[in-house]
Amino acid sequence: MPVTPQRVLSVIPPMTQLNTPYPSTAYLTGFLRSQGVSAVQEDLAIALVLRLLSPSGLDEIRAHIETTPAKSRSGNVAAFLENFAAYRASIGPVIAFLQGRDATLAYRICGGTWLPEGSRFDALDAYVDPDGGDPLAWAFGSLGLQDRARHLATLYLNDLADVIREGVDERFEFVRYAESIAMAQATFAPLAAALAAPTNLIDRMLQALTQEALARHQPQVVLISVPFPGTVYAAFRIAQTIKAHDPAITVVLGGGFANTELRELTEPRVFDYFDFITLDDGERPTLALLEHLRGQRGSGRLVRTFLRTEGKVSYVNFPEPDVPFAEVGTPTWDGLPIDRYLSVMDMLNPMHRLWSDGRWNKLTVAHGCYWKKCSFCDVSLDYISRYETANAEILVDRIEAIIAETGQTGFHFVDEAAPPKMLRALAEELLRRQVSITWWGNIRFEKSFTPELCELLAQSGCIAISGGLEVASDRLLKLMQKGVSVDQVARVTHAFAEAGILVHAYLMYGFPTQTVQDTVDALEYVRQLFEAGCIQSGFFHRFACTVHSPVGKNPQDYGIKLLPLPPVSFAKNDIRFIDPTGVDHDELGRALTKALYNFMHGIELERDVRSWFSTRVPRPQVPKNFIARALTQQEPGLR
């Protein structure tokens, strides 16, 4: 007889981020509870970090390192051992400070003698005061004590991450773990080899945390959400531990990685670890699966689900409608340790810090993307292509419920691109109900964002927005089908900035047919946007061609030739290609990253952009006053 599921446990595997839980389990747990399912959740990512970054965790790290030959140890590892007593004495208080539980420790952290300092503190040498004073005064002033301490404490944690990576497990990072053995791996072999290898210290800690969670919740079904390649290895280790503990527990894999990279899965060995793998939004497949496990639905009526049948992988997709976005319910953070996440500050930029500083309630304004035309995007997949909204009353109901549960009023709207009409309605409803929140989110830089709308959003609590400028080139923006132009982006971002809203630009390089001239011109546009105060932050991503994007599906339309993929039985996503321009985008990318880092710190904005490149590049063809001139022009919709 099928097992009757009494309790469903949803798990976030390492690694995601330190300051706030990844929201997938909160969404699914909230929905399952609304359907009468006994559902709980665990964040094993933050649990692993806190286990490592504790006095006992440091003891174990030191014990492991001391089993290795002294001559093989890096400088960071040697410094850790030399200053171990200081690290062990400080780690507990620093973690409490970053969790917001001991604010007065900031005085000792900023004193400059209490924290042991490794190589990450060398970055402070870049902030030199020409008058010989405080090198961080430009960022924090004479006060700014808490932020200064948070930045120094973050450098301290990054030193420890270097020690773990160089002395324990070379695959370790705080925001990803063993990413390379999962990302776009055509076969399961690298992952299988890693899982068959003897366990290391981090593996054993994760196994212990998994067993503790099983003992706490006694689940019959465990749902493991894998949003990124950097969570896949740990997800399989967790599943391996569960199966060794009790093979009768049903283990299910889902999440963004499966949705994008495992759509053509044929490798049966995956099902030695997982009983089922579901694709796309989890609500309907999970309900169908739970009915199947209760004996109320045959396996032929599962929804978007892989399973192993007689040694072979089968995919079953009984045609059943998805749960409408308006009916998915309110996410819940019940069971997640919302007071134990770490607010860290890697970069001294007021916008960039939002991704790592503060615990944000993550919520979606709409499902999918209302534009869904960008040629680099996975527009053929459900998370982009199926656009649905809920009315503003439902959204604010959800916001109020989350505030009541968490006691926190910060929200990050994690849409692909929040629609202007919905944001207007949301802002008006928040103001009508006098619900005070602080929020930020992702948008398209389209002309619907008038100065009047930007001001309304600011009044409703908007403090920042992010959006894709991608390659700042009108030719390439048209090829990308972004539906925006550089001068339009300038006016829209300026409207946000004038309303007191910080702006982050997602930038791209290496797009098909992008020349060196295009790259130099793009950097000049970006320089002028910073100089004019239109944007305060940005990040250059290297273009990646994926099988689900228009570029990947129709490469001839973009002037490139795709390289053949090897036979795929596991993950399939990125495709290498030949661009006839022959540009060395890696070399250009290093210059772009360096220039942008300086721009975000408000320095070197007058410098000729050509000077950032290590090789000779052409003069920008962009007029020096292009952005300034664009800001003086009007267009319909911005009047």
Side-chain angles (χ1 to χ4, degrees), residues 353-409:
R353 67 185 288 180
L354 295 180
W355 278 275
S356 62
D357 184 20
R359 201 205 71 77
W360 301 93
N361 298 308
K362 293 183 182 286
L363 195 63
T364 307
V365 174
H367 182 284
C369 179
Y370 67 96
W371 179 252
K372 52 188 174 189
K373 295 180 183 178
C374 297
S375 58
F376 55 82
C377 190
D378 293 341
V379 296
S380 62
L381 297 184
D382 178 80
Y383 81 98
I384 298 290
S385 62
R386 181 166 59 88
Y387 175 63
E388 291 183 27
T389 63
N391 63 48
E393 290 80 6
I394 289 176
L395 291 175
V396 179
D397 286 346
R398 291 175 181 172
I399 287 170
E400 290 190 309
I402 291 169
I403 293 171
E405 178 185 271
T406 66
Q408 297 174 336
T409 60

Short mmCIF file of all heavy atoms in Angstrom, two decimals, residues 353-409:
data_model
loop_
_atom_site.label_atom_id
_atom_site.label_comp_id
_atom_site.label_asym_id
_atom_site.label_seq_id
_atom_site.Cartn_x
_atom_site.Cartn_y
_atom_site.Cartn_z
N ARG A 353 24.37 47.01 -1.65
CA ARG A 353 24.31 46.33 -0.36
C ARG A 353 22.97 45.63 -0.12
O ARG A 353 22.88 44.73 0.71
CB ARG A 353 24.56 47.32 0.77
CG ARG A 353 23.46 48.36 0.93
CD ARG A 353 23.77 49.40 1.98
NE ARG A 353 23.68 48.86 3.32
CZ ARG A 353 23.92 49.59 4.42
NH1 ARG A 353 24.28 50.85 4.31
NH2 ARG A 353 23.81 49.04 5.61
N LEU A 354 21.93 46.03 -0.85
CA LEU A 354 20.59 45.52 -0.56
C LEU A 354 20.51 44.01 -0.75
O LEU A 354 19.69 43.34 -0.12
CB LEU A 354 19.54 46.20 -1.44
CG LEU A 354 19.34 47.71 -1.20
CD1 LEU A 354 18.28 48.26 -2.13
CD2 LEU A 354 18.97 47.98 0.25
N TRP A 355 21.35 43.46 -1.63
CA TRP A 355 21.29 42.00 -1.86
C TRP A 355 21.82 41.20 -0.69
O TRP A 355 21.51 40.02 -0.56
CB TRP A 355 22.06 41.65 -3.14
CG TRP A 355 21.24 41.85 -4.37
CD1 TRP A 355 20.36 40.96 -4.94
CD2 TRP A 355 21.19 43.02 -5.19
NE1 TRP A 355 19.77 41.51 -6.05
CE2 TRP A 355 20.27 42.77 -6.23
CE3 TRP A 355 21.83 44.25 -5.15
CZ2 TRP A 355 19.99 43.71 -7.22
CZ3 TRP A 355 21.55 45.19 -6.14
CH2 TRP A 355 20.65 44.91 -7.15
N SER A 356 22.64 41.81 0.16
CA SER A 356 23.25 41.05 1.24
C SER A 356 22.97 41.61 2.64
O SER A 356 23.28 40.95 3.63
CB SER A 356 24.77 40.99 1.04
OG SER A 356 25.33 42.29 1.07
N ASP A 357 22.38 42.78 2.71
CA ASP A 357 22.18 43.45 4.00
C ASP A 357 20.68 43.54 4.31
O ASP A 357 19.91 44.10 3.53
CB ASP A 357 22.80 44.85 3.96
CG ASP A 357 22.72 45.56 5.30
OD1 ASP A 357 22.56 44.87 6.33
OD2 ASP A 357 22.81 46.80 5.31
N GLY A 358 20.28 43.00 5.44
CA GLY A 358 18.88 43.06 5.84
C GLY A 358 18.12 41.81 5.42
O GLY A 358 18.42 41.19 4.40
N ARG A 359 17.15 41.44 6.24
CA ARG A 359 16.31 40.28 5.89
C ARG A 359 15.05 40.79 5.22
O ARG A 359 14.22 41.47 5.82
CB ARG A 359 15.95 39.46 7.14
CG ARG A 359 15.55 38.03 6.78
CD ARG A 359 14.65 37.40 7.81
NE ARG A 359 13.32 37.98 7.81
CZ ARG A 359 12.38 37.71 6.91
NH1 ARG A 359 12.62 36.90 5.91
NH2 ARG A 359 11.20 38.28 6.98
N TRP A 360 14.90 40.47 3.94
CA TRP A 360 13.77 40.96 3.16
C TRP A 360 12.73 39.86 2.99
O TRP A 360 13.07 38.71 2.66
CB TRP A 360 14.25 41.43 1.79
CG TRP A 360 15.27 42.52 1.86
CD1 TRP A 360 16.63 42.39 1.85
CD2 TRP A 360 15.00 43.92 1.98
NE1 TRP A 360 17.22 43.61 1.96
CE2 TRP A 360 16.26 44.57 2.04
CE3 TRP A 360 13.84 44.70 2.05
CZ2 TRP A 360 16.38 45.96 2.16
CZ3 TRP A 360 13.95 46.07 2.16
CH2 TRP A 360 15.20 46.69 2.21
N ASN A 361 11.46 40.21 3.18
CA ASN A 361 10.38 39.31 2.83
C ASN A 361 10.26 39.30 1.31
O ASN A 361 9.96 40.33 0.71
CB ASN A 361 9.05 39.78 3.44
CG ASN A 361 9.08 39.81 4.95
OD1 ASN A 361 9.43 38.83 5.59
ND2 ASN A 361 8.70 40.94 5.54
N LYS A 362 10.50 38.16 0.69
CA LYS A 362 10.47 38.09 -0.78
C LYS A 362 9.06 37.73 -1.25
O LYS A 362 8.45 36.79 -0.76
CB LYS A 362 11.50 37.08 -1.28
CG LYS A 362 12.94 37.53 -1.00
CD LYS A 362 13.96 36.57 -1.56
CE LYS A 362 15.37 37.01 -1.23
NZ LYS A 362 15.81 38.15 -2.04
N LEU A 363 8.58 38.51 -2.20
CA LEU A 363 7.21 38.35 -2.69
C LEU A 363 7.19 38.67 -4.18
O LEU A 363 8.05 39.40 -4.68
CB LEU A 363 6.27 39.29 -1.93
CG LEU A 363 4.77 39.04 -2.03
CD1 LEU A 363 4.41 37.68 -1.44
CD2 LEU A 363 4.00 40.14 -1.29
N THR A 364 6.21 38.10 -4.88
CA THR A 364 6.07 38.32 -6.31
C THR A 364 4.82 39.12 -6.60
O THR A 364 3.73 38.79 -6.11
CB THR A 364 6.00 36.96 -7.05
OG1 THR A 364 7.12 36.16 -6.65
CG2 THR A 364 6.05 37.15 -8.55
N VAL A 365 4.96 40.17 -7.40
CA VAL A 365 3.82 40.98 -7.79
C VAL A 365 3.01 40.28 -8.87
O VAL A 365 1.78 40.33 -8.88
CB VAL A 365 4.29 42.37 -8.28
CG1 VAL A 365 3.13 43.18 -8.84
CG2 VAL A 365 4.97 43.12 -7.15
N ALA A 366 3.69 39.61 -9.80
CA ALA A 366 3.02 38.90 -10.89
C ALA A 366 3.84 37.67 -11.25
O ALA A 366 5.05 37.61 -11.00
CB ALA A 366 2.87 39.80 -12.11
N HIS A 367 3.20 36.67 -11.83
CA HIS A 367 3.90 35.48 -12.28
C HIS A 367 4.34 35.69 -13.72
O HIS A 367 3.58 36.12 -14.57
CB HIS A 367 2.98 34.25 -12.21
CG HIS A 367 3.66 32.97 -12.61
ND1 HIS A 367 3.94 32.64 -13.91
CD2 HIS A 367 4.14 31.95 -11.86
CE1 HIS A 367 4.53 31.48 -13.95
NE2 HIS A 367 4.67 31.03 -12.72
N GLY A 368 5.61 35.37 -14.00
CA GLY A 368 6.10 35.47 -15.37
C GLY A 368 6.46 36.90 -15.74
O GLY A 368 6.57 37.78 -14.90
N CYS A 369 6.64 37.11 -17.03
CA CYS A 369 7.06 38.42 -17.55
C CYS A 369 6.05 38.92 -18.57
O CYS A 369 5.70 38.20 -19.50
CB CYS A 369 8.44 38.30 -18.19
SG CYS A 369 9.06 39.85 -18.90
N TYR A 370 5.61 40.16 -18.39
CA TYR A 370 4.62 40.72 -19.31
C TYR A 370 5.23 41.08 -20.66
O TYR A 370 4.52 41.22 -21.66
CB TYR A 370 3.94 41.96 -18.69
CG TYR A 370 4.87 43.15 -18.50
CD1 TYR A 370 4.93 44.16 -19.44
CD2 TYR A 370 5.67 43.24 -17.37
CE1 TYR A 370 5.77 45.25 -19.25
CE2 TYR A 370 6.51 44.32 -17.18
CZ TYR A 370 6.56 45.32 -18.12
OH TYR A 370 7.40 46.39 -17.94
N TRP A 371 6.56 41.22 -20.72
CA TRP A 371 7.23 41.57 -21.98
C TRP A 371 7.61 40.32 -22.75
O TRP A 371 7.28 40.18 -23.93
CB TRP A 371 8.47 42.41 -21.68
CG TRP A 371 9.25 42.81 -22.90
CD1 TRP A 371 10.47 42.34 -23.29
CD2 TRP A 371 8.87 43.77 -23.89
NE1 TRP A 371 10.87 42.94 -24.45
CE2 TRP A 371 9.90 43.83 -24.85
CE3 TRP A 371 7.74 44.58 -24.07
CZ2 TRP A 371 9.85 44.67 -25.97
CZ3 TRP A 371 7.69 45.41 -25.17
CH2 TRP A 371 8.73 45.45 -26.10
N LYS A 372 8.30 39.41 -22.14
CA LYS A 372 8.72 38.09 -22.65
C LYS A 372 9.14 38.10 -24.12
O LYS A 372 8.70 37.28 -24.91
CB LYS A 372 7.64 37.03 -22.40
CG LYS A 372 6.24 37.33 -22.88
CD LYS A 372 5.27 36.26 -22.38
CE LYS A 372 3.84 36.60 -22.72
NZ LYS A 372 2.87 35.72 -22.08
N LYS A 373 10.01 39.05 -24.47
CA LYS A 373 10.54 39.12 -25.83
C LYS A 373 12.06 39.12 -25.88
O LYS A 373 12.63 38.94 -26.96
CB LYS A 373 10.03 40.38 -26.53
CG LYS A 373 8.53 40.43 -26.76
CD LYS A 373 8.14 41.73 -27.45
CE LYS A 373 6.63 41.83 -27.63
NZ LYS A 373 6.24 43.12 -28.26
N CYS A 374 12.74 39.37 -24.77
CA CYS A 374 14.19 39.55 -24.79
C CYS A 374 14.87 38.29 -25.35
O CYS A 374 14.63 37.18 -24.87
CB CYS A 374 14.72 39.85 -23.40
SG CYS A 374 14.07 41.40 -22.72
N SER A 375 15.72 38.49 -26.33
CA SER A 375 16.27 37.36 -27.07
C SER A 375 17.27 36.53 -26.29
O SER A 375 17.58 35.40 -26.67
CB SER A 375 16.91 37.85 -28.37
OG SER A 375 17.92 38.80 -28.10
N PHE A 376 17.81 37.08 -25.19
CA PHE A 376 18.77 36.33 -24.38
C PHE A 376 18.09 35.56 -23.25
O PHE A 376 18.74 34.81 -22.53
CB PHE A 376 19.80 37.28 -23.76
CG PHE A 376 19.19 38.39 -22.95
CD1 PHE A 376 18.80 38.20 -21.65
CD2 PHE A 376 18.98 39.63 -23.53
CE1 PHE A 376 18.21 39.22 -20.91
CE2 PHE A 376 18.39 40.66 -22.81
CZ PHE A 376 18.01 40.46 -21.50
N CYS A 377 16.79 35.73 -23.08
CA CYS A 377 16.08 35.21 -21.92
C CYS A 377 15.39 33.89 -22.24
O CYS A 377 15.08 33.59 -23.41
CB CYS A 377 15.05 36.26 -21.48
SG CYS A 377 14.28 35.90 -19.89
N ASP A 378 15.13 33.09 -21.20
CA ASP A 378 14.46 31.79 -21.37
C ASP A 378 12.95 31.98 -21.55
O ASP A 378 12.14 31.47 -20.76
CB ASP A 378 14.73 30.89 -20.17
CG ASP A 378 16.18 30.48 -20.06
OD1 ASP A 378 16.90 30.56 -21.08
OD2 ASP A 378 16.61 30.08 -18.97
N VAL A 379 12.58 32.68 -22.62
CA VAL A 379 11.17 33.07 -22.79
C VAL A 379 10.27 31.89 -23.10
O VAL A 379 9.05 31.99 -23.00
CB VAL A 379 11.03 34.14 -23.89
CG1 VAL A 379 11.74 35.42 -23.49
CG2 VAL A 379 11.58 33.64 -25.23
N SER A 380 10.85 30.74 -23.46
CA SER A 380 10.03 29.58 -23.77
C SER A 380 9.63 28.79 -22.52
O SER A 380 8.79 27.89 -22.61
CB SER A 380 10.77 28.66 -24.74
OG SER A 380 11.98 28.17 -24.15
N LEU A 381 10.22 29.12 -21.38
CA LEU A 381 9.92 28.38 -20.16
C LEU A 381 8.79 29.03 -19.38
O LEU A 381 8.56 30.24 -19.45
CB LEU A 381 11.17 28.28 -19.28
CG LEU A 381 12.35 27.52 -19.88
CD1 LEU A 381 13.48 27.41 -18.87
CD2 LEU A 381 11.93 26.14 -20.38
N ASP A 382 8.13 28.21 -18.57
CA ASP A 382 6.92 28.64 -17.87
C ASP A 382 7.16 29.84 -16.96
O ASP A 382 6.31 30.72 -16.87
CB ASP A 382 6.36 27.47 -17.06
CG ASP A 382 5.12 27.84 -16.28
OD1 ASP A 382 4.03 27.88 -16.86
OD2 ASP A 382 5.24 28.09 -15.06
N TYR A 383 8.30 29.89 -16.29
CA TYR A 383 8.50 30.95 -15.30
C TYR A 383 8.58 32.32 -15.96
O TYR A 383 8.42 33.34 -15.30
CB TYR A 383 9.73 30.67 -14.44
CG TYR A 383 11.07 31.03 -15.03
CD1 TYR A 383 11.69 32.23 -14.69
CD2 TYR A 383 11.72 30.15 -15.90
CE1 TYR A 383 12.93 32.54 -15.22
CE2 TYR A 383 12.96 30.47 -16.42
CZ TYR A 383 13.57 31.67 -16.08
OH TYR A 383 14.80 31.98 -16.61
N ILE A 384 8.82 32.36 -17.28
CA ILE A 384 8.80 33.60 -18.04
C ILE A 384 7.51 33.72 -18.84
O ILE A 384 6.85 34.76 -18.85
CB ILE A 384 10.00 33.67 -19.00
CG1 ILE A 384 11.32 33.65 -18.23
CG2 ILE A 384 9.90 34.92 -19.89
CD1 ILE A 384 11.61 34.90 -17.45
N SER A 385 7.14 32.66 -19.54
CA SER A 385 6.10 32.76 -20.57
C SER A 385 4.68 32.87 -20.02
O SER A 385 3.82 33.48 -20.65
CB SER A 385 6.18 31.54 -21.50
OG SER A 385 5.94 30.34 -20.78
N ARG A 386 4.42 32.29 -18.83
CA ARG A 386 3.05 32.32 -18.30
C ARG A 386 2.87 33.54 -17.40
O ARG A 386 3.25 33.50 -16.24
CB ARG A 386 2.73 31.02 -17.55
CG ARG A 386 1.31 30.98 -16.99
CD ARG A 386 0.92 29.57 -16.56
NE ARG A 386 1.80 29.04 -15.54
CZ ARG A 386 1.63 29.23 -14.22
NH1 ARG A 386 0.61 29.97 -13.79
NH2 ARG A 386 2.46 28.69 -13.36
N TYR A 387 2.29 34.57 -17.96
CA TYR A 387 2.12 35.83 -17.22
C TYR A 387 0.73 35.88 -16.59
O TYR A 387 -0.28 35.75 -17.26
CB TYR A 387 2.32 37.02 -18.15
CG TYR A 387 2.05 38.35 -17.50
CD1 TYR A 387 2.83 38.79 -16.43
CD2 TYR A 387 1.00 39.17 -17.93
CE1 TYR A 387 2.59 40.00 -15.82
CE2 TYR A 387 0.76 40.39 -17.32
CZ TYR A 387 1.55 40.80 -16.26
OH TYR A 387 1.31 42.00 -15.65
N GLU A 388 0.72 36.02 -15.26
CA GLU A 388 -0.54 36.13 -14.52
C GLU A 388 -0.37 37.16 -13.41
O GLU A 388 0.72 37.31 -12.86
CB GLU A 388 -0.93 34.80 -13.87
CG GLU A 388 -1.33 33.71 -14.83
CD GLU A 388 -1.77 32.46 -14.08
OE1 GLU A 388 -2.25 32.59 -12.92
OE2 GLU A 388 -1.62 31.36 -14.61
N THR A 389 -1.45 37.82 -13.07
CA THR A 389 -1.41 38.79 -11.97
C THR A 389 -2.50 38.47 -10.96
O THR A 389 -3.42 37.70 -11.23
CB THR A 389 -1.62 40.22 -12.49
OG1 THR A 389 -2.93 40.33 -13.07
CG2 THR A 389 -0.57 40.60 -13.52
N ALA A 390 -2.35 39.07 -9.79
CA ALA A 390 -3.43 39.09 -8.79
C ALA A 390 -3.75 40.56 -8.56
O ALA A 390 -2.92 41.44 -8.82
CB ALA A 390 -2.98 38.44 -7.50
N ASN A 391 -4.94 40.86 -8.08
CA ASN A 391 -5.27 42.28 -7.90
C ASN A 391 -4.53 42.84 -6.68
O ASN A 391 -4.01 42.11 -5.84
CB ASN A 391 -6.78 42.50 -7.80
CG ASN A 391 -7.40 41.82 -6.59
OD1 ASN A 391 -6.90 41.94 -5.47
ND2 ASN A 391 -8.52 41.12 -6.81
N ALA A 392 -4.49 44.16 -6.63
CA ALA A 392 -3.71 44.84 -5.59
C ALA A 392 -4.23 44.52 -4.19
O ALA A 392 -3.45 44.46 -3.23
CB ALA A 392 -3.73 46.34 -5.82
N GLU A 393 -5.53 44.30 -4.06
CA GLU A 393 -6.10 43.98 -2.74
C GLU A 393 -5.52 42.67 -2.22
O GLU A 393 -5.16 42.55 -1.04
CB GLU A 393 -7.62 43.90 -2.82
CG GLU A 393 -8.32 45.23 -3.04
CD GLU A 393 -8.29 45.69 -4.49
OE1 GLU A 393 -7.82 44.90 -5.36
OE2 GLU A 393 -8.72 46.83 -4.77
N ILE A 394 -5.41 41.66 -3.11
CA ILE A 394 -4.85 40.37 -2.70
C ILE A 394 -3.38 40.52 -2.32
O ILE A 394 -2.92 39.97 -1.31
CB ILE A 394 -5.02 39.34 -3.85
CG1 ILE A 394 -6.49 38.95 -4.01
CG2 ILE A 394 -4.16 38.09 -3.58
CD1 ILE A 394 -6.75 38.02 -5.17
N LEU A 395 -2.64 41.31 -3.12
CA LEU A 395 -1.22 41.51 -2.82
C LEU A 395 -1.01 42.17 -1.47
O LEU A 395 -0.15 41.76 -0.68
CB LEU A 395 -0.57 42.33 -3.92
CG LEU A 395 -0.42 41.65 -5.29
CD1 LEU A 395 0.13 42.63 -6.31
CD2 LEU A 395 0.49 40.43 -5.18
N VAL A 396 -1.80 43.19 -1.18
CA VAL A 396 -1.63 43.88 0.10
C VAL A 396 -2.12 42.99 1.25
O VAL A 396 -1.57 43.05 2.36
CB VAL A 396 -2.32 45.25 0.09
CG1 VAL A 396 -2.18 45.95 1.44
CG2 VAL A 396 -1.70 46.13 -0.99
N ASP A 397 -3.13 42.17 1.00
CA ASP A 397 -3.53 41.18 2.02
C ASP A 397 -2.34 40.28 2.37
O ASP A 397 -2.08 39.99 3.55
CB ASP A 397 -4.68 40.31 1.51
CG ASP A 397 -6.02 41.05 1.48
OD1 ASP A 397 -6.12 42.13 2.10
OD2 ASP A 397 -6.95 40.55 0.82
N ARG A 398 -1.63 39.83 1.34
CA ARG A 398 -0.47 38.97 1.56
C ARG A 398 0.61 39.73 2.33
O ARG A 398 1.24 39.18 3.24
CB ARG A 398 0.08 38.47 0.23
CG ARG A 398 -0.85 37.48 -0.49
CD ARG A 398 -0.33 37.11 -1.87
NE ARG A 398 -1.26 36.18 -2.53
CZ ARG A 398 -1.16 35.78 -3.79
NH1 ARG A 398 -0.15 36.22 -4.55
NH2 ARG A 398 -2.05 34.94 -4.32
N ILE A 399 0.84 40.97 1.95
CA ILE A 399 1.85 41.79 2.64
C ILE A 399 1.51 41.94 4.11
O ILE A 399 2.37 41.78 4.99
CB ILE A 399 1.96 43.16 1.94
CG1 ILE A 399 2.67 43.00 0.59
CG2 ILE A 399 2.69 44.17 2.82
CD1 ILE A 399 2.63 44.24 -0.28
N GLU A 400 0.25 42.23 4.41
CA GLU A 400 -0.14 42.41 5.81
C GLU A 400 0.00 41.11 6.59
O GLU A 400 0.40 41.12 7.77
CB GLU A 400 -1.58 42.93 5.88
CG GLU A 400 -1.73 44.37 5.41
CD GLU A 400 -3.09 44.96 5.71
OE1 GLU A 400 -4.10 44.32 5.36
OE2 GLU A 400 -3.14 46.05 6.30
N ALA A 401 -0.33 39.99 5.95
CA ALA A 401 -0.19 38.69 6.64
C ALA A 401 1.27 38.38 6.93
O ALA A 401 1.62 37.88 8.01
CB ALA A 401 -0.81 37.59 5.78
N ILE A 402 2.14 38.70 5.99
CA ILE A 402 3.57 38.44 6.19
C ILE A 402 4.13 39.33 7.29
O ILE A 402 4.92 38.88 8.14
CB ILE A 402 4.33 38.65 4.86
CG1 ILE A 402 3.94 37.55 3.87
CG2 ILE A 402 5.83 38.66 5.09
CD1 ILE A 402 4.40 37.81 2.46
N ILE A 403 3.73 40.59 7.33
CA ILE A 403 4.18 41.49 8.39
C ILE A 403 3.72 40.97 9.75
O ILE A 403 4.48 40.97 10.73
CB ILE A 403 3.65 42.92 8.16
CG1 ILE A 403 4.30 43.53 6.90
CG2 ILE A 403 3.93 43.81 9.37
CD1 ILE A 403 3.69 44.85 6.48
N ALA A 404 2.47 40.51 9.81
CA ALA A 404 1.94 40.00 11.08
C ALA A 404 2.74 38.77 11.54
O ALA A 404 2.96 38.58 12.74
CB ALA A 404 0.47 39.64 10.92
N GLU A 405 3.18 37.95 10.58
CA GLU A 405 3.92 36.73 10.95
C GLU A 405 5.36 37.03 11.32
O GLU A 405 5.88 36.50 12.31
CB GLU A 405 3.90 35.74 9.78
CG GLU A 405 4.68 34.46 10.07
CD GLU A 405 4.75 33.54 8.87
OE1 GLU A 405 3.84 32.71 8.72
OE2 GLU A 405 5.71 33.66 8.08
N THR A 406 6.04 37.87 10.53
CA THR A 406 7.48 38.08 10.71
C THR A 406 7.80 39.28 11.58
O THR A 406 8.92 39.37 12.11
CB THR A 406 8.18 38.27 9.36
OG1 THR A 406 7.74 39.50 8.75
CG2 THR A 406 7.88 37.10 8.42
N GLY A 407 6.88 40.24 11.68
CA GLY A 407 7.16 41.47 12.40
C GLY A 407 8.10 42.39 11.64
O GLY A 407 8.60 43.37 12.20
N GLN A 408 8.35 42.10 10.35
CA GLN A 408 9.29 42.88 9.55
C GLN A 408 8.59 43.43 8.31
O GLN A 408 7.79 42.74 7.67
CB GLN A 408 10.48 42.03 9.16
CG GLN A 408 11.28 41.58 10.39
CD GLN A 408 12.39 40.62 10.06
OE1 GLN A 408 12.36 39.94 9.06
NE2 GLN A 408 13.39 40.54 10.93
N THR A 409 8.92 44.68 7.97
CA THR A 409 8.19 45.38 6.91
C THR A 409 9.02 45.63 5.66
O THR A 409 8.64 46.43 4.81
CB THR A 409 7.67 46.74 7.44
OG1 THR A 409 8.80 47.54 7.85
CG2 THR A 409 6.71 46.55 8.60
#
